[in-house]
């Protein structure tokens, strides 16, 4: 019969854990820098411009994935006229505001109204579009034909728009309440579900959606609103603002400006096939790109989290009170705050405080890694505590050091019990990537929002995206179950 000390000595000779960690570290080292570097802004007159991406006809993606719209075409024409280059960072309206004020972007073009309140934070270009507000209701709704019919009801508005400002100015007079949404498509969906009676939207956006068949109609006349302008942070990027103004004047004089407006405001209605099969056929390249980014974010983040979890998990079970305190603090901070707040803090807060720029991809990887690492640390701690204390005591009695005993005796056994939890955390992290859409990463969920902003087919698109998530997550779940069964044999 083999003795207990023989089994322990064999365990000591198995270098499993260091090999796994070394392999994952190598993966991160090879893959992460290249992907993150692709989004770094270039110096000189090469600008990083933030924008919304769900505000057709001013900015949206066409079927090929190209950013188009009045703002995008106007920016391209001005850049060509003035001889500067730029990268567009589509992050959503609220995030674009933070990107400019936080120094992550040099300027912003997103159908942004010029208001006195915003002038305190931004410097604006000359106005490039005269906007206005209209109220829209579902085509089938004959009960709301004026503002008086809104009494006791809710209306949907989008953050930061002229529609929201106007709705706030008259809601007490007509007795309705407002609900705010981050993008136009969510606002329209709110009315389709019956939770709100109407939308207040900038008239070009509402008119474009109606023409594309979003199922709405206008029931009020256009109310004049503020003008749209290109914005930079207060007191910064004066050269960019001057180039934009000079280019805008030249583009208007050449007739290019009118040509751009006519392209989008007088466009024909879409005749695309919006059935589920038609949507899959027309959008699968974009969906696969979003899915690929989701998987890349997940794999790299989990690899880093695995290392962080091992380090801080060992800290959590250390006999050293300082190391144990560090491990506990790390876990408490990242488990005790929402992932959304962590993403905003890392992408907007830290670069603004330390005066440097960080790509959305890098910020996303850091956010997911630190968050998942905290949960991994708890998995490691639980795995270590599940190993009988006698294993460590027997190893130490043979004269093996504490660290060597932990590395060669305890951890190899603990890892066996951790594997199902690791895969479960992989699934959770994969789903958490959807939160990174708030900082502009076009992973699978954000890709869906972008497509819906163009075709307004929310039910069919979310069904397709839900099925894609379900297939991947179920495959991982089945893999986890098989591994667990093999381990427990």
């Amino acid at each position: 019969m083999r003795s207990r000390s023989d089994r322990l000595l064999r365990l000591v000779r198995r270098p499993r854990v260091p090999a796994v960690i070394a392999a994952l570290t190598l993966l991160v080292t090879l893959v992460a820098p290249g992907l993150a570097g692709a989004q770094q802004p270039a110096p000189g007159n090469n600008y990083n411009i933030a924008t919304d991406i769900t505000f057709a006809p001013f900015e949206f993606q066409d079927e090929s994935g190209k950013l188009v719209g009045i703002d995008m075409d106007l920016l391209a024409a001005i850049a060509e006229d003035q001889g500067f280059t730029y990268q567009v960072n589509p992050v959503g309206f609220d995030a674009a505001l933070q990107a400019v004020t936080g120094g992550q972007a040099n300027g912003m073009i997103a159908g942004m109204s010029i208001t006195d309140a915003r002038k305190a934070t931004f410097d604006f270009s000359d106005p490039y579009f005269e906007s206005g507000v209209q109220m829209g209701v579902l085509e089938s709704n004959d009960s709301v034909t004026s503002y008086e019919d809104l009494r006791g009801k809710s209306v949907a508005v989008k953050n930061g728009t002229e529609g929201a400002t106007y709705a706030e100015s008259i809601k007490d007079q007509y007795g309705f309440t407002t609900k705010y949404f981050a993008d136009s498509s969510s606002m329209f969906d709110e009315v389709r579900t019956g939770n709100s009676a109407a939308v207040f939207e900038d008239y070009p956006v509402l008119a474009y959606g109606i023409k594309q068949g979003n199922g709405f109609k206008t029931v009020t006349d256009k109310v004049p609103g503020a003008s749209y302008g290109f914005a930079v942070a207060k007191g910064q990027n004066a050269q960019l603002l001057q180039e934009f103004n000079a280019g805008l004047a030249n583009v208007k004089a050449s007739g290019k400006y009118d040509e751009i407006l006519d392209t989008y405001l007088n466009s024909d209605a879409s005749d695309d096939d919006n059935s589920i099969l038609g949507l899959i056929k027309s959008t699968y390249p974009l969906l696969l790109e979003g899915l690929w980014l989701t998987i890349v974010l997940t794999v790299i983040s989990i690899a880093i989290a695995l290392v962080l979890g091992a380090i801080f998990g060992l800290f959590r079970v250390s006999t050293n009170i300082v190391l144990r305190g560090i491990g506990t603090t790390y876990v408490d901070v990242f488990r005790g705050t929402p992932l959304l707040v962590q993403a905003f803090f890392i992408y907007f807060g830290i670069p603004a405080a330390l005066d440097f720029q960080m790509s959305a991809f890098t910020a996303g990887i850091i956010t997911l890694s630190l968050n998942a690492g905290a949960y991994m640390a708890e998995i490691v701690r639980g795995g270590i505590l599940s190993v009988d204390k006698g294993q460590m005591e027997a190893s130490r009695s043979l004269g093996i050091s504490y660290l060597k005993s932990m590395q060669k005796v305890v951890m190899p056994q603990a890892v066996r019990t951790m594997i199902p939890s690791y895969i479960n955390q992989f699934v959770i992290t994969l789903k958490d990537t959807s939160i990174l859409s708030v900082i502009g990463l076009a992973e699978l969920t954000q890709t869906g929002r972008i497509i819906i902003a163009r075709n307004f087919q929310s039910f069919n698109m979310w069904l397709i995206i839900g099925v894609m998530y379900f297939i991947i997550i179920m495959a991982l779940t089945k893999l986890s179950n098989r591994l667990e069964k093999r381990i427990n044999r």
Side-chain angles (χ1 to χ4, degrees):
M1 183 177 179
R2 291 175 297 187
S3 67
R4 193 177 190 183
S5 59
D6 290 339
R7 290 198 298 271
L8 287 170
L9 288 173
R10 279 201 302 278
L11 286 170
V12 169
R13 296 189 185 102
R14 295 176 184 173
R16 293 177 182 175
V17 177
V20 172
I21 292 175
L24 292 172
T25 305
L26 179 62
L27 173 66
V28 176
T29 304
L30 292 175
V31 177
L35 291 172
Q39 296 192 23
Q40 292 292 339
N45 64 342
N46 188 342
Y47 301 111
N48 189 359
I49 308 298
T51 187
D52 193 356
I53 201 169
T54 59
F55 200 58
F58 288 91
E59 45 264 340
F60 60 101
Q61 277 189 347
D62 63 14
E63 291 184 354
S64 66
K66 180 183 177 184
L67 279 172
V68 296
I70 295 172
D71 286 353
M72 296 297 100
D73 288 9
L74 187 60
L75 180 62
I78 291 172
E80 183 180 2
D81 181 81
Q82 293 296 301
F84 68 79
T85 57
Y86 63 95
Q87 299 85 41
V88 174
N89 188 14
V91 293
F93 189 82
D94 294 340
L97 295 173
Q98 298 180 65
V100 174
T101 56
Q104 289 285 71
N106 302 113
M108 169 181 176
I109 184 167
M112 186 177 179
S113 301
I114 302 173
T115 65
D116 290 338
R118 286 175 177 160
K119 285 180 180 177
T121 308
F122 299 95
D123 288 329
F124 284 95
S125 68
D126 296 334
Y128 68 82
F129 188 83
E130 299 297 327
S131 184
V133 177
Q134 275 189 299
M135 184 174 78
V137 299
L138 286 173
E139 284 180 330
S140 58
N141 186 346
D142 295 324
S143 61
V144 177
T145 58
S146 66
Y147 300 139
E148 286 79 3
D149 298 325
L150 294 176
R151 186 165 298 281
K153 297 182 171 65
S154 297
V155 303
V157 296
K158 180 183 174 182
N159 297 338
T161 60
E162 279 295 295
T165 303
Y166 183 68
E168 288 294 332
S169 69
I170 65 170
K171 71 177 187 180
D172 292 336
Q173 178 183 354
Y174 294 102
F176 62 83
T177 58
T178 52
K179 290 184 178 179
Y180 281 79
F181 295 88
D183 56 69
S184 297
S185 57
S186 299
M187 187 174 63
F188 290 126
D189 286 340
E190 166 74 3
V191 177
R192 289 192 187 97
T193 59
N195 293 319
S196 291
V199 298
F200 281 67
E201 179 64 291
D202 295 18
Y203 86 89
V205 180
L206 186 57
Y208 182 84
I210 291 172
K211 188 173 288 185
Q212 301 305 312
N214 68 356
F216 279 71
K217 63 181 179 183
T218 57
V219 290
T220 58
D221 294 330
K222 182 179 73 174
V223 177
S227 303
Y228 291 169
F230 177 83
V232 299
K234 191 76 174 177
Q236 300 180 25
N237 292 298
Q239 180 183 345
L240 172 58
L241 206 57
Q242 291 173 0
E243 291 174 339
F244 189 94
N245 285 334
L248 179 62
N250 293 339
V251 169
K252 284 185 174 180
S254 68
K256 180 69 175 178
Y257 176 84
D258 293 329
E259 181 183 326
I260 292 171
L261 292 189
D262 187 63
T263 298
Y264 294 98
L265 298 184
N266 298 315
S267 62
D268 295 329
S270 171
D271 57 355
D272 295 341
D273 180 2
N274 288 326
S275 65
I276 291 180
L277 289 178
L279 289 172
I280 293 174
K281 184 178 179 181
S282 63
T283 63
Y284 80 89
L286 294 176
L287 291 174
L288 290 180
E289 285 182 16
L291 178 61
W292 173 245
L293 181 56
T294 295
I295 293 173
V296 169
L297 286 167
T298 305
V299 171
I300 295 177
S301 299
I302 282 294
I304 298 173
L306 198 62
V307 178
L308 293 174
I311 294 172
F312 288 99
L314 289 172
F315 282 6
R316 290 273 282 153
V317 297
S318 173
T319 55
N320 186 305
I321 190 170
V322 175
L323 294 179
R324 198 164 63 247
I326 293 172
T328 301
T329 302
Y330 167 71
V331 170
D332 288 349
V333 168
F334 286 96
R335 290 183 67 190
T337 53
L339 182 59
L340 181 64
V341 174
Q342 294 168 18
F344 279 139
F345 181 76
I346 291 171
Y347 185 53
F348 296 119
I350 294 178
L354 303 180
D355 193 25
F356 72 98
Q357 290 187 327
M358 181 189 300
S359 73
F361 184 87
T362 302
I365 289 292
I366 293 173
T367 303
L368 283 180
S369 299
L370 290 173
N371 184 270
Y375 290 91
M376 288 286 195
E378 287 301 272
I379 292 172
V380 170
R381 185 177 71 91
I384 292 173
L385 294 179
S386 69
V387 178
D388 192 292
K389 290 182 178 179
Q391 297 284 318
M392 172 64 81
E393 293 169 358
S395 178
R396 297 300 303 276
S397 69
L398 294 175
I400 303 173
S401 68
Y402 175 85
L403 289 177
K404 201 76 172 178
S405 299
M406 182 63 74
Q407 180 185 0
K408 300 296 185 180
V409 177
V410 177
M411 285 301 292
Q413 298 178 76
V415 166
R416 292 168 62 88
T417 64
M418 296 176 199
I419 289 177
S421 298
Y422 278 152
I423 295 178
N424 186 51
Q425 184 59 46
F426 188 96
V427 171
I428 293 172
T429 303
L430 188 146
K431 290 189 285 189
D432 283 347
T433 57
S434 62
I435 294 177
L436 299 181
S437 63
V438 298
I439 59 173
L441 285 174
E443 40 69 57
L444 187 54
T445 301
Q446 176 73 342
T447 300
R449 293 177 61 203
I450 292 170
I451 294 171
I452 291 169
R454 182 183 71 240
N455 61 23
F456 301 97
Q457 301 300 313
S458 57
F459 177 82
N460 287 343
M461 283 308 307
W462 288 129
L463 181 61
I464 293 169
I465 291 169
V467 170
M468 293 176 72
Y469 272 118
F470 179 78
I471 291 172
I472 295 173
I473 291 171
M474 283 306 298
L476 289 170
T477 303
K478 296 297 182 186
L479 174 63
S480 173
N481 292 340
R482 291 194 63 178
L483 284 173
E484 193 170 5
K485 287 180 180 177
R486 291 190 61 178
I487 291 170
N488 292 330
R489 282 177 184 172

